[in-house]
Amino acid sequence: MNFVMKAAMGGGPPDVGKMLGGEEKEEDPDAAQKEEERQEALRQQEEERKGKYAKMEAERESMRQGIRDKYGLKKREEAEAEAAAAAEESVEGSLTRPKKLVPAGCGDEEEEESIMDTVMKYLPGPLQDMLKK
């Protein structure tokens, strides 16, 4: 005998018999009330959980704000909004696409010279003399 036949005859798991059209159990008369109570309990638990996490997030945000105040930092959204506004201002009236913003310190002449000085330190003497000329 295969598994399906055993289940249909009652020899297998009880749920398989129901799926195959076997007899169904009578519903409890209080089942609707119990289900309603269960749903209400789930809603209440969900509200408590959301309240708990909202409280935790508020504590985190106050801690973040303390750090921002201590180190003079801005919120991410504010910093991004200012950068976007600065980019839009520079493009105003331009017919071409906006140029990519270059981070501060990139491409400074003084920095390039200091890099060359650093490289020169590691070169042998005769090479240094040739490159200086």
Side-chain angles (χ1 to χ4, degrees):
M1 243 193 243
N2 65 21
F3 180 73
V4 176
M5 291 178 70
K6 283 183 183 179
M9 298 175 90
D15 293 341
V16 175
K18 286 182 189 177
M19 288 190 292
L20 295 174
E23 61 185 76
E24 294 186 23
K25 296 181 181 177
E26 294 180 21
E27 286 197 25
D28 188 16
D30 298 329
Q33 183 182 1
K34 287 179 182 178
E35 180 63 21
E36 189 176 313
E37 289 174 2
R38 188 180 74 80
Q39 291 294 329
E40 180 61 33
L42 287 174
R43 278 191 290 273
Q44 185 177 2
Q45 287 175 346
E46 184 68 17
E47 288 173 13
E48 290 173 3
R49 185 188 68 79
K50 285 182 180 181
K52 174 184 167 186
Y53 285 105
K55 180 182 174 187
M56 289 170 52
E57 185 59 30
E59 290 173 1
R60 288 187 192 118
E61 185 57 36
S62 66
M63 187 179 294
R64 289 182 197 119
Q65 190 59 46
I67 292 170
R68 282 188 215 107
D69 293 342
K70 182 177 178 180
Y71 295 106
L73 303 173
K74 295 180 181 178
K75 273 188 165 183
R76 248 187 212 162
E77 297 98 26
E78 292 174 7
E80 289 173 357
E82 287 180 6
E88 287 178 16
E89 287 176 10
S90 64
V91 181
E92 225 172 86
S94 176
L95 297 176
T96 60
R97 69 179 175 85
K99 292 182 180 179
K100 292 182 181 177
L101 295 177
V102 178
C106 290
D108 294 342
E109 293 299 322
E110 297 170 11
E111 187 176 323
E112 288 179 13
E113 290 175 11
S114 66
I115 291 172
M116 281 303 292
D117 292 338
T118 306
V119 171
M120 294 294 276
K121 289 179 193 175
Y122 295 104
L123 293 175
L127 271 178
Q128 285 180 6
D129 295 338
M130 284 178 34
L131 290 174
K132 284 183 182 177
K133 292 180 183 179

